């Protein structure tokens, strides 16, 4: 199997472009963010991702995102990139049989329905594995496939709350805010992609696929660092700490003379010594209040006042230049406009044009992460403009369907 490439400005499949996952075919039947993000990550690395939408219910993500042109929202442009889009009604028995035929020619299925939905459609893992013992089924849901909360619906915002992630965000005494993106969904998608890759490696040894069970709540819990053992061993309930981490100093936001916010992270002993030298007060590194990590943590408030005073004496550019010269970890808090202009992101190919066929313009989007040296990923095409625009090539290529067969399924509302 070879990952397909679309010719620019066309839905016609052109010659293959090899990538790390060249030869892996993915059927994506999820909607919105978490499942489709996993599909996007695999597609970026060269997998042939076939996105399946219901004929009468396209993925709602097609209408998400704040920017739009002529009714077309560009969130879809990025999240559906490197995918071929077909339509298929999995609620109909004939649609289910067509899907199982596709499964026979696939390596991975990604779904993000509420647990039990696939089983209700007679498309559970047992049915899929009976047709293809090597199939890997990635299941992304709010709470996972088992447990007392499994059947509850779940969104990223709730997952962030239930996992404890939201509790430690924000400032003490205030309502815990959310990040202005669906972080829980993106974490779930990343863990799903990671699980798929691990399952494919295991399949190489055993010849058999398996279920990758990803819960949004657990994906958020997984990034909480030491909060659980801190509570278990010491009864510590970590609280929100605003712009800093308690006991880690100096590592905070500081305002420059021209009003910019700059992160200065010099909490390691050697870095703190460099920071003091950069501001011509090297003796401060030997002050008993700040001489080591523990002491600086105990005297964090006092130290923040000192560092804030230093930062406020210089404009942001001069401040960053001095810190960079001293080898101190630092960075400006950028707006998206500043990110787009950032020469480091540009040099690394992390801001990539996506040619959007529906509005016939290039839309800038994020590049491919991670960067692989021998088999780099690529944005081969933007999100396909219409549901089902690849019905003919995909059904013809994978299932050998003729035009009359496809026309019959279309007339019956199956595709």
């Amino acid at each position: 199997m070879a990952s397909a490439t679309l010719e620019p400005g066309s839905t016609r499949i052109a010659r293959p472009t090899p990538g790390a996952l060249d030869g892996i075919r993915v059927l994506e039947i999820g909607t919105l963010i978490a499942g489709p993000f996993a599909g996007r990550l695999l597609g970026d690395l060269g997998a042939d991702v076939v996105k399946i939408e219901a004929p009468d219910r396209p993925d709602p993500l097609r209408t998400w995102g704040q920017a739009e042109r002529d009714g077309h929202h560009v969130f879809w442009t990025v999240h559906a990139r490197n995918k071929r889009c077909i339509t298929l009604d999995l609620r109909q028995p004939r649609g289910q049989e067509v899907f199982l035929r596709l499964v026979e020619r696939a390596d991975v299925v990604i779904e993000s329905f509420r647990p039990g939905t696939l089983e209700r459609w007679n498309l559970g893992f047992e049915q899929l594995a009976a047709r293809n013992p090597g199939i890997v089924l990635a299941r992304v849901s709010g709470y996972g496939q088992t447990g007392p909360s499994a059947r509850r619906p779940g969104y990223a915002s709730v997952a962030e709350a239930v996992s404890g992630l939201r509790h430690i965000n924000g400032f003490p005494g205030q309502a815990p805010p959310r990040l202005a993106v669906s972080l829980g969904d993106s974490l779930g998608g990343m863990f799903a992609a990671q699980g798929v890759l691990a399952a494919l490696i295991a399949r190489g040894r055993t010849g058999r696929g398996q279920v990758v069970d990803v819960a949004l709540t657990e994906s958020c819990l997984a990034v909480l660092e030491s909060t659980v053992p801190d509570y278990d061993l010491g009864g510590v309930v970590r609280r929100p700490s605003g712009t800093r981490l308690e006991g880690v100093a100096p590592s905070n936001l500081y305002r420059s003379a021209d009003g910019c916010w700059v992160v200065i992270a010099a909490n390691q002993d050697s870095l703190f010594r460099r920071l003091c030298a950069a501001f011509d007060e090297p003796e401060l590194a030997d002050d008993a209040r700040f001489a080591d990590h523990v002491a600086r943590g105990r005297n964090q408030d006092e130290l923040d006042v000192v560092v804030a005073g230093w930062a406020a004496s210089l404009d942001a550019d001069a401040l960053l230049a001095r810190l960079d010269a001293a080898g101190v970890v630092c960075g400006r808090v950028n707006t998206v406009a500043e990110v787009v202009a950032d020469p480091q992101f540009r040099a690394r190919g992390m801001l990539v044009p996506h040619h959007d066929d529906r509005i016939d313009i290039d839309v800038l989007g994020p590049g491919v992460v991670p960067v692989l040296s021998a088999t780099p990923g690529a944005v081969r095409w933007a999100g396909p403009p219409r549901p089902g625009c690849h019905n003919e090539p995909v059904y013809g290529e994978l299932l050998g369907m003729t035009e009359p067969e496809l026309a019959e399924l279309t007339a019956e509302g199956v595709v």
Side-chain angles (χ1 to χ4, degrees):
M1 289 178 266
S3 60
T5 301
L6 296 184
E7 292 184 341
S10 171
T11 57
R12 188 164 66 85
I13 303 301
R15 63 182 179 82
T17 300
L21 297 181
D22 186 55
I24 297 298
R25 179 166 292 125
V26 179
L27 304 178
E28 179 194 299
I29 54 176
T31 60
L32 294 176
I33 299 176
F37 186 43
R40 172 189 136 188
L41 294 175
L42 299 175
D44 283 354
L45 297 177
D48 176 17
V49 181
V50 178
K51 181 174 182 62
I52 298 173
E53 300 174 89
D56 58 341
R57 289 190 298 181
D59 190 333
L61 197 65
R62 288 181 178 273
T63 61
W64 280 34
Q66 297 182 28
E68 59 92 17
R69 178 77 59 87
D70 298 329
H72 175 60
H73 294 252
V74 293
F75 195 160
W76 173 261
T77 301
V78 172
H79 241 33
R81 71 190 189 191
N82 296 332
K83 300 177 184 179
R84 298 193 280 174
C85 284
I86 66 173
T87 51
L88 183 63
D89 191 346
L90 302 182
R91 298 163 296 180
Q92 295 191 43
R94 195 168 182 186
Q96 293 158 11
E97 176 55 31
V98 170
F99 181 71
L100 289 172
R101 290 173 61 194
L102 291 171
V103 167
E104 292 174 357
R105 293 156 178 80
D107 300 282
V108 179
V109 172
I110 299 174
E111 67 102 348
S112 56
F113 300 112
R114 198 182 302 190
T117 301
L118 286 190
E119 285 75 13
R120 191 168 67 250
W121 293 339
N122 298 310
L123 296 175
F125 182 67
E126 289 186 5
Q127 287 87 354
L128 304 189
R131 301 290 282 265
N132 180 353
I135 197 71
V136 172
L137 174 61
R139 315 194 72 170
V140 185
S141 62
Y143 298 87
Q145 300 296 310
T146 60
S149 297
R151 296 302 177 98
R152 295 179 64 191
Y155 276 159
S157 56
V158 174
E160 293 161 21
V162 170
S163 67
L165 181 60
R166 184 74 73 88
H167 174 75
I168 59 175
N169 193 31
F171 291 83
Q174 298 183 12
R178 72 171 296 166
L179 201 63
V181 295
S182 298
L183 179 62
D185 280 327
S186 295
L187 289 172
M190 293 171 69
F191 279 114
Q194 173 185 308
V196 165
L197 297 178
L200 290 173
I201 292 172
R203 188 184 69 177
R205 296 193 306 268
T206 68
R208 302 195 67 82
Q210 60 183 296
V211 175
V212 177
D213 182 357
V214 177
L216 300 185
T217 51
E218 294 160 6
S219 299
C220 294
L221 176 63
V223 300
L224 291 189
E225 299 180 355
S226 69
T227 55
V228 172
D230 285 348
Y231 172 73
D232 185 53
L233 188 62
V236 176
V237 177
R238 188 177 296 188
R239 307 291 181 184
S241 55
T243 59
R244 70 186 193 184
L245 285 178
E246 294 300 326
V248 178
S251 183
N252 206 340
L253 284 179
Y254 304 96
R255 197 156 221 167
S256 63
D258 53 348
C260 295
W261 288 108
V262 173
V263 175
I264 301 176
N267 45 290
Q268 191 175 338
D269 290 351
S270 59
L271 286 174
F272 182 64
R273 189 167 293 276
R274 292 179 206 164
L275 176 66
C276 295
F279 285 99
D280 301 321
E281 294 191 41
E283 69 281 357
L284 202 62
D286 297 314
D287 188 309
R289 297 169 299 167
F290 312 130
D292 59 32
H293 176 77
V294 175
R296 289 192 296 276
R298 290 197 186 109
N299 297 285
Q300 188 169 16
D301 291 340
E302 188 175 354
L303 182 55
D304 268 341
V305 171
V306 173
V307 179
W310 285 341
S313 69
L314 295 169
D315 285 352
D317 288 345
L319 174 62
L320 290 166
R322 181 179 292 193
L323 294 172
D324 280 337
V328 176
V329 180
C330 61
R332 188 193 305 261
V333 177
N334 285 333
T335 66
V336 67
E338 291 162 328
V339 169
V340 166
D342 189 291
Q344 175 67 13
F345 288 132
R346 291 283 185 174
R348 296 270 295 172
M350 288 297 124
L351 295 157
V352 183
H354 298 57
H355 187 80
D356 194 313
D357 283 346
R358 180 167 172 182
I359 50 180
D360 197 26
I361 61 173
D362 283 346
V363 177
L364 204 62
V368 176
V369 180
V371 177
L372 301 182
S373 62
T375 54
V379 177
R380 304 188 299 282
W381 64 86
R386 301 177 309 281
C389 61
H390 298 121
N391 278 0
E392 185 175 338
V394 169
Y395 284 122
E397 170 195 335
L398 300 188
L399 303 185
M401 279 191 186
T402 63
E403 288 187 18
E405 287 176 310
L406 191 56
E408 179 183 336
L409 290 174
T410 302
E412 294 179 2
V414 176
V415 302

PDB file of all heavy atoms in Angstrom, residues 170-186:
ATOM      1  N   GLY A 170      -4.777  28.735  36.344  1.00  0.00           N
ATOM      2  CA  GLY A 170      -5.296  30.034  36.726  1.00  0.00           C
ATOM      3  C   GLY A 170      -4.658  30.587  37.983  1.00  0.00           C
ATOM      4  O   GLY A 170      -3.528  30.257  38.337  1.00  0.00           O
ATOM      5  N   PHE A 171      -5.412  31.431  38.669  1.00  0.00           N
ATOM      6  CA  PHE A 171      -4.917  32.135  39.844  1.00  0.00           C
ATOM      7  C   PHE A 171      -5.688  31.708  41.096  1.00  0.00           C
ATOM      8  O   PHE A 171      -6.884  31.382  41.007  1.00  0.00           O
ATOM      9  CB  PHE A 171      -5.048  33.650  39.650  1.00  0.00           C
ATOM     10  CG  PHE A 171      -4.108  34.195  38.619  1.00  0.00           C
ATOM     11  CD1 PHE A 171      -4.421  34.141  37.271  1.00  0.00           C
ATOM     12  CD2 PHE A 171      -2.901  34.758  38.994  1.00  0.00           C
ATOM     13  CE1 PHE A 171      -3.556  34.639  36.314  1.00  0.00           C
ATOM     14  CE2 PHE A 171      -2.019  35.261  38.046  1.00  0.00           C
ATOM     15  CZ  PHE A 171      -2.345  35.196  36.698  1.00  0.00           C
ATOM     16  N   PRO A 172      -5.046  31.702  42.256  1.00  0.00           N
ATOM     17  CA  PRO A 172      -5.733  31.299  43.498  1.00  0.00           C
ATOM     18  C   PRO A 172      -6.978  32.142  43.746  1.00  0.00           C
ATOM     19  O   PRO A 172      -6.977  33.359  43.547  1.00  0.00           O
ATOM     20  CB  PRO A 172      -4.667  31.558  44.577  1.00  0.00           C
ATOM     21  CG  PRO A 172      -3.354  31.507  43.854  1.00  0.00           C
ATOM     22  CD  PRO A 172      -3.630  32.049  42.488  1.00  0.00           C
ATOM     23  N   GLY A 173      -8.052  31.470  44.149  1.00  0.00           N
ATOM     24  CA  GLY A 173      -9.276  32.166  44.501  1.00  0.00           C
ATOM     25  C   GLY A 173     -10.149  32.560  43.331  1.00  0.00           C
ATOM     26  O   GLY A 173     -11.220  33.143  43.528  1.00  0.00           O
ATOM     27  N   GLN A 174      -9.719  32.253  42.103  1.00  0.00           N
ATOM     28  CA  GLN A 174     -10.512  32.587  40.926  1.00  0.00           C
ATOM     29  C   GLN A 174     -11.024  31.321  40.245  1.00  0.00           C
ATOM     30  O   GLN A 174     -10.522  30.223  40.489  1.00  0.00           O
ATOM     31  CB  GLN A 174      -9.678  33.400  39.931  1.00  0.00           C
ATOM     32  CG  GLN A 174      -9.204  34.732  40.463  1.00  0.00           C
ATOM     33  CD  GLN A 174      -8.437  35.531  39.423  1.00  0.00           C
ATOM     34  OE1 GLN A 174      -8.445  35.196  38.243  1.00  0.00           O
ATOM     35  NE2 GLN A 174      -7.776  36.599  39.869  1.00  0.00           N
ATOM     36  N   ALA A 175     -12.049  31.483  39.408  1.00  0.00           N
ATOM     37  CA  ALA A 175     -12.558  30.339  38.663  1.00  0.00           C
ATOM     38  C   ALA A 175     -11.466  29.804  37.754  1.00  0.00           C
ATOM     39  O   ALA A 175     -10.803  30.579  37.059  1.00  0.00           O
ATOM     40  CB  ALA A 175     -13.770  30.752  37.825  1.00  0.00           C
ATOM     41  N   PRO A 176     -11.237  28.479  37.737  1.00  0.00           N
ATOM     42  CA  PRO A 176     -10.174  27.915  36.896  1.00  0.00           C
ATOM     43  C   PRO A 176     -10.479  28.128  35.410  1.00  0.00           C
ATOM     44  O   PRO A 176     -11.468  27.592  34.908  1.00  0.00           O
ATOM     45  CB  PRO A 176     -10.174  26.426  37.251  1.00  0.00           C
ATOM     46  CG  PRO A 176     -10.906  26.330  38.551  1.00  0.00           C
ATOM     47  CD  PRO A 176     -11.897  27.446  38.559  1.00  0.00           C
ATOM     48  N   PRO A 177      -9.670  28.882  34.687  1.00  0.00           N
ATOM     49  CA  PRO A 177      -9.958  29.140  33.274  1.00  0.00           C
ATOM     50  C   PRO A 177      -9.538  27.977  32.395  1.00  0.00           C
ATOM     51  O   PRO A 177      -8.783  27.100  32.815  1.00  0.00           O
ATOM     52  CB  PRO A 177      -9.091  30.375  32.976  1.00  0.00           C
ATOM     53  CG  PRO A 177      -7.921  30.211  33.884  1.00  0.00           C
ATOM     54  CD  PRO A 177      -8.446  29.568  35.143  1.00  0.00           C
ATOM     55  N   ARG A 178     -10.017  27.988  31.191  1.00  0.00           N
ATOM     56  CA  ARG A 178      -9.565  27.015  30.199  1.00  0.00           C
ATOM     57  C   ARG A 178      -8.564  27.686  29.269  1.00  0.00           C
ATOM     58  O   ARG A 178      -8.573  28.910  29.104  1.00  0.00           O
ATOM     59  CB  ARG A 178     -10.731  26.450  29.392  1.00  0.00           C
ATOM     60  CG  ARG A 178     -11.358  27.410  28.402  1.00  0.00           C
ATOM     61  CD  ARG A 178     -12.357  26.700  27.502  1.00  0.00           C
ATOM     62  NE  ARG A 178     -11.721  25.699  26.660  1.00  0.00           N
ATOM     63  CZ  ARG A 178     -12.384  24.762  25.979  1.00  0.00           C
ATOM     64  NH1 ARG A 178     -13.705  24.706  26.052  1.00  0.00           N
ATOM     65  NH2 ARG A 178     -11.749  23.890  25.228  1.00  0.00           N
ATOM     66  N   LEU A 179      -7.694  26.885  28.682  1.00  0.00           N
ATOM     67  CA  LEU A 179      -6.865  27.376  27.604  1.00  0.00           C
ATOM     68  C   LEU A 179      -7.780  27.630  26.409  1.00  0.00           C
ATOM     69  O   LEU A 179      -8.806  26.954  26.264  1.00  0.00           O
ATOM     70  CB  LEU A 179      -5.807  26.326  27.266  1.00  0.00           C
ATOM     71  CG  LEU A 179      -4.554  26.778  26.534  1.00  0.00           C
ATOM     72  CD1 LEU A 179      -3.752  27.761  27.373  1.00  0.00           C
ATOM     73  CD2 LEU A 179      -3.682  25.577  26.181  1.00  0.00           C
ATOM     74  N   ALA A 180      -7.409  28.570  25.556  1.00  0.00           N
ATOM     75  CA  ALA A 180      -8.300  28.960  24.457  1.00  0.00           C
ATOM     76  C   ALA A 180      -8.206  28.009  23.264  1.00  0.00           C
ATOM     77  O   ALA A 180      -8.433  28.413  22.118  1.00  0.00           O
ATOM     78  CB  ALA A 180      -8.003  30.385  24.020  1.00  0.00           C
ATOM     79  N   VAL A 181      -7.880  26.744  23.513  1.00  0.00           N
ATOM     80  CA  VAL A 181      -7.949  25.670  22.528  1.00  0.00           C
ATOM     81  C   VAL A 181      -8.489  24.440  23.248  1.00  0.00           C
ATOM     82  O   VAL A 181      -8.567  24.413  24.483  1.00  0.00           O
ATOM     83  CB  VAL A 181      -6.557  25.339  21.915  1.00  0.00           C
ATOM     84  CG1 VAL A 181      -6.026  26.509  21.108  1.00  0.00           C
ATOM     85  CG2 VAL A 181      -5.559  24.950  22.998  1.00  0.00           C
ATOM     86  N   SER A 182      -8.854  23.416  22.482  1.00  0.00           N
ATOM     87  CA  SER A 182      -9.380  22.186  23.083  1.00  0.00           C
ATOM     88  C   SER A 182      -8.219  21.261  23.445  1.00  0.00           C
ATOM     89  O   SER A 182      -7.957  20.251  22.777  1.00  0.00           O
ATOM     90  CB  SER A 182     -10.354  21.497  22.119  1.00  0.00           C
ATOM     91  OG  SER A 182     -11.460  22.325  21.861  1.00  0.00           O
ATOM     92  N   LEU A 183      -7.515  21.606  24.519  1.00  0.00           N
ATOM     93  CA  LEU A 183      -6.303  20.891  24.893  1.00  0.00           C
ATOM     94  C   LEU A 183      -6.568  19.414  25.143  1.00  0.00           C
ATOM     95  O   LEU A 183      -5.793  18.550  24.715  1.00  0.00           O
ATOM     96  CB  LEU A 183      -5.686  21.534  26.138  1.00  0.00           C
ATOM     97  CG  LEU A 183      -4.422  20.874  26.677  1.00  0.00           C
ATOM     98  CD1 LEU A 183      -3.305  20.920  25.655  1.00  0.00           C
ATOM     99  CD2 LEU A 183      -3.989  21.544  27.980  1.00  0.00           C
ATOM    100  N   GLY A 184      -7.650  19.092  25.855  1.00  0.00           N
ATOM    101  CA  GLY A 184      -7.940  17.687  26.159  1.00  0.00           C
ATOM    102  C   GLY A 184      -8.124  16.851  24.909  1.00  0.00           C
ATOM    103  O   GLY A 184      -7.707  15.690  24.857  1.00  0.00           O
ATOM    104  N   ASP A 185      -8.747  17.430  23.887  1.00  0.00           N
ATOM    105  CA  ASP A 185      -8.910  16.713  22.620  1.00  0.00           C
ATOM    106  C   ASP A 185      -7.562  16.468  21.957  1.00  0.00           C
ATOM    107  O   ASP A 185      -7.295  15.375  21.439  1.00  0.00           O
ATOM    108  CB  ASP A 185      -9.804  17.515  21.666  1.00  0.00           C
ATOM    109  CG  ASP A 185     -11.279  17.346  21.968  1.00  0.00           C
ATOM    110  OD1 ASP A 185     -11.668  16.252  22.402  1.00  0.00           O
ATOM    111  OD2 ASP A 185     -12.034  18.303  21.769  1.00  0.00           O
ATOM    112  N   SER A 186      -6.722  17.486  21.930  1.00  0.00           N
ATOM    113  CA  SER A 186      -5.425  17.334  21.279  1.00  0.00           C
ATOM    114  C   SER A 186      -4.560  16.318  22.011  1.00  0.00           C
ATOM    115  O   SER A 186      -3.861  15.512  21.383  1.00  0.00           O
ATOM    116  CB  SER A 186      -4.717  18.689  21.204  1.00  0.00           C
ATOM    117  OG  SER A 186      -5.438  19.576  20.372  1.00  0.00           O
TER     118      SER A 186
END
